[in-house]
Amino acid sequence: MRKKIQFIDRLRLGLAVSVAKSVTFLVRLLRLGAASVLPGSIARRIEPRLLQLLSQQVKNGVILIAGTNGKTTTALLLCTILERKGYRIAHNSTGANLENGLMTALIENTNLVGTLDVDYAILEVDENIVPKVLTPLQPQIILCLNLFRDQLDRYGEVDTISKRWTKVISTLPAETVVIPNADDPTLSYLGQQLPQRVLFFGLNEPKHYLEAIPHAVDSIYCPRCGHSLDYQGVYLSHLGDFTCPSCGFSKSKPTLESREWQQILVGLYNKYNTLAAATAAIELGVDEATIRDTINNFQAAFGRAEDLVINGKRVRILLSKNPVGTNETIRVVTQSTDNTTLLVLNDRTPDGTDVSWIWDVDTEKLVERGGTLVVSGDRVYDMALRLRYSEKSTPTNLNLIVEEDLKQAIATALEHTPENETLHILPTYSAMLEVREVLTGRKIL
């Protein structure tokens, strides 16, 4: 909530913001990028408390969205809902979700002296920095989407992250509202331990159960006692309907009935994003009619089930950056009648330098259906090898094309895509940015 800033703090803040805005202008003038991180980094050196001083000016509060998958889509949907009600929003829409990116997003909405005039700040936050930013941000609402293994070289296992989240969230004011995923045992348990007001979101649709628990499952053990959980069924990875036969721990009851809410984007994972945003919007007092209408007319964020038309052909980009997310995008592909898929695997810092996770992906399902698979990226041969190992002894009509050059790979994939079909592209994060730059001729970051 908005607080008065002391005079000396105002001076330092004004200087930091002015310098940051100058940097933004120069970066964009010289076409060096979107200036989504550097301005915040420089401003932070001038005023270390920048995040706190800016966030406390937000009129109605900060909404923090954290989790492994779905942050960008959930944030954009909630932002769109609130904007339709006339609220002014600060949002890190480029997806820059580390500290400098959060600061830059807030600076973008200030005047030259550091006055921030917005109703809400919707900030998607990298799961690893949540403990560092909760205290300065003092969010009104915290959305906890999910926790999957992602970039183990940086984060470690999900239990470690969950314990850190619980420890710091429990110190926040009692009026803080926490909205965890009821279907994630780790987050369901987290919500049950907190002293704050807790709402849950999740699915209640057994028709969407998977036939079996996926190979890439992360956590099927009770977070309370460590015993194996009994699942009635799983929706994706370890998200599902569960109970513990040992201590009685069970799934928390979602606030909304999922069967009453439609989704517009492909993939069951987007149903979770829809329910998370809707639960938060209702908590903020938005009427259901506005929420439902926004959902029905919503367009995906860049690279997240984003549809483009390139040279008269349909292209769908499905960000695939970890085992669970990639298994879900493969499910989208295999449920379609389209026959051409491009996989792009990079191992840069935004992707995680350890690509061993591809061996936890159920690529067998993609290979079994046949068609044309084009492979590219920094680790093109790792992915090609994974696909070869996915082949069974029985021959399939698979056409595997390995192409180191990304532009050529995209061109080849488009050539193999019939006019009446969609080319599905499954890239890691940095690869997604490169793919979009090739397809649209412009950079995102």
Side-chain angles (χ1 to χ4, degrees):
M1 301 297 179
R2 175 164 291 195
K3 297 180 181 179
K4 185 176 181 180
I5 299 177
Q6 298 299 318
F7 178 73
I8 187 65
D9 292 333
R10 173 66 68 184
L11 287 178
R12 289 175 61 91
L13 178 61
L15 175 61
V17 168
S18 296
V19 171
K21 286 186 173 291
S22 298
V23 171
T24 299
F25 175 77
L26 289 174
V27 169
R28 293 177 179 173
L29 178 66
L30 299 175
R31 297 184 177 181
L32 299 175
S36 59
V37 175
L38 182 61
S41 177
I42 293 175
R44 183 183 180 186
R45 292 178 179 272
I46 299 172
E47 174 49 82
R49 295 184 301 147
L50 184 74
L51 196 59
Q52 175 185 343
L53 294 175
L54 289 178
S55 62
Q56 69 185 31
Q57 296 183 61
V58 179
K59 290 181 180 178
N60 296 335
V62 173
I63 301 167
L64 186 149
I65 300 176
T68 309
N69 294 339
K71 295 185 292 293
T72 298
T73 299
T74 304
L76 181 58
L77 177 54
L78 182 57
C79 182
T80 305
I81 292 170
L82 292 177
E83 286 178 337
R84 289 193 59 186
K85 297 301 293 184
Y87 292 111
R88 290 165 296 178
I89 310 295
H91 172 215
N92 52 334
S93 57
T94 64
N97 54 27
L98 299 178
E99 289 174 275
N100 293 334
L102 306 183
M103 295 175 193
T104 300
L106 295 176
I107 290 172
E108 186 80 19
N109 291 272
T110 66
N111 61 19
L112 289 175
V113 297
T115 299
L116 179 63
D117 187 18
V118 296
D119 298 300
Y120 292 100
I122 298 178
L123 302 175
E124 53 176 286
V125 178
D126 182 282
E127 58 266 37
N128 202 39
I129 70 161
V130 167
K132 296 176 64 176
V133 301
L134 278 180
T135 299
L137 286 177
Q138 291 290 298
Q140 175 191 358
I141 292 179
I142 304 172
L143 274 168
C144 304
L145 301 183
N146 47 62
L147 283 176
F148 302 123
R149 283 179 297 150
D150 186 42
Q151 302 186 42
L152 291 179
D153 53 308
R154 292 176 58 206
Y155 298 157
E157 294 292 347
V158 296
D159 291 343
T160 302
I161 297 175
S162 174
K163 289 176 181 177
R164 293 173 60 209
W165 282 16
T166 303
K167 182 178 180 180
V168 68
I169 293 175
S170 63
T171 66
L172 295 176
E175 59 267 23
T176 305
V177 178
V178 185
I179 307 178
N181 188 335
D183 295 358
D184 187 322
T186 303
L187 295 181
S188 194
Y189 181 68
L190 176 150
Q192 294 176 15
Q193 306 308 303
L194 294 174
Q196 290 87 0
R197 182 159 177 259
V198 179
L199 307 174
F200 292 93
F201 69 93
L203 299 180
N204 182 25
E205 303 180 55
K207 67 178 181 179
H208 292 308
Y209 284 161
L210 295 174
E211 294 179 359
I213 295 178
H215 175 64
V217 68
D218 287 312
S219 179
I220 57 173
Y221 296 96
C222 178
R224 177 187 291 169
C225 72
H227 194 279
S228 296
L229 292 170
D230 280 347
Y231 276 88
Q232 291 175 266
V234 294
Y235 297 110
L236 64 93
S237 186
H238 59 277
L239 307 189
D241 298 322
F242 55 83
T243 58
C244 176
S246 176
C247 70
F249 166 71
S250 62
K251 169 180 171 176
S252 305
K253 181 177 176 56
T255 302
L256 302 180
E257 172 52 66
S258 66
R259 286 174 289 193
E260 298 176 358
W261 291 83
Q262 295 181 333
Q263 66 179 101
I264 191 66
L265 301 180
V266 298
L268 190 63
Y269 54 92
N270 276 316
K271 185 66 175 282
Y272 281 109
N273 300 334
T274 299
L275 292 168
T279 302
I282 291 173
E283 172 64 20
L284 293 171
V286 181
D287 59 283
E288 285 196 17
T290 297
I291 299 172
R292 292 182 185 276
D293 186 62
T294 304
I295 292 170
N296 291 333
N297 294 280
F298 183 66
Q299 294 185 344
F302 65 88
R304 281 80 170 177
E306 179 185 19
D307 291 324
L308 304 171
V309 176
I310 306 296
N311 298 334
K313 296 185 178 181
R314 296 191 299 273
V315 177
R316 175 171 289 164
I317 305 175
L318 299 164
L319 178 65
S320 305
K321 63 187 182 71
N322 53 39
V324 173
T326 305
N327 277 343
E328 287 305 299
T329 56
I330 287 176
R331 182 167 18 165
V332 171
V333 173
T334 55
Q335 288 176 347
S336 74
T337 57
D338 306 304
N339 292 298
T340 307
T341 305
L342 169 61
L343 299 99
V344 191
L345 177 65
N346 282 357
D347 62 349
R348 303 173 195 178
T349 300
D351 312 293
T353 57
D354 181 357
V355 298
S356 62
W357 61 267
I358 64 174
W359 294 92
D360 289 329
V361 176
D362 297 328
T363 49
E364 290 77 10
K365 296 179 180 179
L366 196 59
V367 170
E368 287 172 9
R369 76 191 298 263
T372 298
L373 297 181
V374 184
V375 185
S376 190
D378 299 339
R379 302 296 289 269
V380 57
Y381 294 105
D382 293 78
M383 180 57 77
L385 181 64
R386 176 69 185 100
L387 295 174
R388 281 302 185 197
Y389 268 92
S390 301
E391 293 182 275
K392 297 182 178 179
S393 56
T394 304
T396 65
N397 60 339
L398 175 67
N399 178 24
L400 179 60
I401 301 174
V402 179
E403 177 54 65
E404 294 183 14
D405 183 82
L406 180 59
K407 290 184 179 180
Q408 184 57 49
I410 293 173
T412 300
L414 285 170
E415 289 173 6
H416 283 79
T417 304
E419 294 289 344
N420 62 339
E421 292 189 6
T422 297
L423 167 61
H424 290 90
I425 303 180
L426 279 56
T428 54
Y429 187 80
S430 70
M432 180 267 290
L433 300 179
E434 289 184 306
V435 166
R436 290 196 84 265
E437 183 180 0
V438 172
L439 292 176
T440 66
R442 62 179 183 273
K443 292 183 178 180
I444 298 300
L445 299 180

